[in-house]
Amino acid sequence: MRADGAAVGESDVILVVDDDVDIARFIEVNLNLEGFGTLLAHDGATALALIQEHQPALAVVDWMMPQLDGLELTRRLRADPMTASMPVILLTARGQTADKVIGLQAGADDYLVKPFDTLELVARVRSTLRRNQENREVSPLTGLPGNTRILREISDRARAGSDFAVSHVDIDRFKPVNDVYGFARGDEFIIALARALHRAVVEVGLPPAFLGHIGGDDFLVVCSPEQLKELTTKAILEFQAASDALYDPVDAERGYIEIASRTGEVQQPNLVTLSIGVAIGTPESGRFTDPREIIAIATEMKKVAKKHNGNYVAVDRRSAVEL
């Protein structure tokens, strides 16, 4: 899948750069047969112009070309913020380890030695695109999958035919933490929640649960309904212990922090807790087959949870789940 939801290969455009017209054409034909769009360039300067105009998903670049060779082309792509993340596969007749190292150090994502097998070329293109997409989807703060991967996970669960639970997890009173301690400390609270959820996901065992980071202090967990109680309990206890340790000692001891409002009034919000909203997907009944629909219900239940004091898990009562 691409970031916009299309499967890899359905509309990804690959730039093929090789001064050998026959090789470039051979690669083009085989990529077209696999469903990729292609652009052709026979020198580095033309390649740069095509990249600027069309922004291809990936470039397959021959190392040995006159004037601007593949190595220098790759370096220029990495030096430009607009193209720095575009994956590059180098093609070359050089098979020595030292040559491969040079290519990778220049910024190439993969390396294919001529003569190459067509199936291997296509496989490397697909794997490089998939890896690049997954890297784009990962949260830079927590290292967890982002929204596109979350939607795909829920869609996969719905197609699998088994019931599943979707939990929207959010930190209560997180804004005062940022206001009093600053964003750096706030990030520590988010990381603490990510670690607590990750440990809970691992400890509930099989079938494997899924953890994603929506953004900010919002996370999403997908698991079987039978795992829900154990997972949420473990996550709450783990996060409570970790978050208490992140407060200044005086705030942790008295159980609240002090923050001045815009009017100068001193407010005393309690320490953070978790609100968790849960919706249950039941593929057999056709309920919540759209991932956005079940996420919306889980978010609605999270708002219900926030109306309660302390850590609270609110489950959509249209789902038969005992907690």
Side-chain angles (χ1 to χ4, degrees):
M1 301 281 286
R2 301 185 320 158
D4 61 5
V8 168
E10 285 183 356
S11 56
D12 291 296
V13 175
I14 311 300
L15 173 64
V16 180
V17 189
D18 199 314
D19 60 329
D20 188 315
V21 176
D22 292 334
I23 292 179
R25 176 60 179 161
F26 173 75
I27 295 173
E28 177 191 32
V29 169
N30 282 280
L31 290 175
N32 290 161
L33 289 172
E34 294 295 327
F36 293 101
T38 51
L39 296 168
L40 289 185
H42 301 302
D43 59 80
T46 303
L48 287 174
L50 287 173
I51 290 169
Q52 184 175 8
E53 182 179 356
H54 297 284
Q55 299 178 333
L58 178 147
V60 178
V61 180
D62 184 36
W63 184 326
M64 301 300 294
M65 293 186 295
Q67 299 179 350
L68 186 64
D69 65 16
L71 209 61
E72 181 58 27
L73 173 60
T74 301
R75 291 194 182 104
R76 292 194 186 185
L77 293 175
R78 293 295 174 256
D80 185 343
M82 297 301 294
T83 58
S85 62
M86 189 182 77
V88 174
I89 298 177
L90 272 180
L91 298 178
T92 181
R94 303 185 178 198
Q96 298 298 318
T97 300
D99 294 320
K100 295 180 181 179
V101 170
I102 292 171
L104 295 173
Q105 287 178 337
D109 295 85
D110 206 347
Y111 195 105
L112 200 56
V113 178
K114 296 179 179 179
F116 53 84
D117 183 82
T118 304
L119 293 177
E120 183 181 5
L121 171 66
V122 172
R124 287 180 183 268
V125 167
R126 290 189 183 280
S127 65
T128 303
L129 284 172
R130 183 171 58 250
R131 186 167 59 250
N132 187 62
Q133 176 189 326
E134 290 171 350
N135 289 339
R136 290 199 308 268
E137 293 176 4
V138 168
S139 162
L141 178 61
T142 63
L144 294 172
N147 293 321
T148 302
R149 180 65 183 85
I150 289 170
L151 292 173
R152 190 161 69 246
E153 177 69 23
I154 295 174
S155 296
D156 290 344
R157 298 259 180 163
R159 283 195 296 269
S162 299
D163 291 355
F164 58 95
V166 173
S167 301
H168 187 164
V169 184
D170 175 71
I171 302 176
D172 303 317
R173 295 173 295 281
F174 179 66
K175 186 178 183 300
V177 169
N178 275 335
D179 291 343
V180 172
Y181 294 138
F183 290 106
R185 184 86 65 91
D187 284 349
E188 291 183 35
F189 279 79
I190 293 173
I191 293 170
L193 178 54
R195 289 173 176 168
L197 289 169
H198 181 262
R199 289 193 185 98
V201 162
V202 171
E203 290 178 9
V204 296
L206 299 175
F210 170 85
L211 171 60
H213 188 183
I214 298 172
D217 60 319
D218 290 272
F219 293 80
L220 191 137
V221 180
V222 186
C223 64
S224 70
E226 294 76 20
Q227 295 171 315
L228 186 59
K229 182 176 181 179
E230 180 184 3
L231 194 155
T232 54
T233 300
K234 286 179 180 294
I236 288 171
L237 293 175
E238 183 85 25
F239 176 69
Q240 205 67 72
S243 62
D244 287 350
L246 292 174
Y247 283 98
D248 287 350
V250 63
D251 294 333
E253 184 174 352
R254 67 189 179 188
Y256 62 87
I257 57 179
E258 292 187 343
I259 181 171
S261 68
R262 293 178 180 177
T263 61
E265 179 184 357
V266 176
Q267 300 174 339
Q268 298 177 340
N270 293 332
L271 305 186
V272 296
T273 52
L274 294 182
S275 286
I276 303 176
V278 182
I280 308 298
T282 54
E284 286 188 0
S285 67
R287 189 163 184 262
F288 298 148
T289 55
D290 184 339
R292 293 173 180 82
E293 182 183 0
I294 192 169
I295 291 174
I297 296 298
T299 301
E300 178 185 321
M301 298 312 301
K302 183 203 69 174
K303 295 176 182 177
V304 172
K306 280 188 171 294
K307 296 177 181 179
H308 297 264
N309 293 325
N311 299 293
Y312 197 87
V313 181
V315 181
D316 176 25
R317 291 305 170 190
R318 289 164 289 185
S319 307
V321 175
E322 289 293 332
L323 285 180

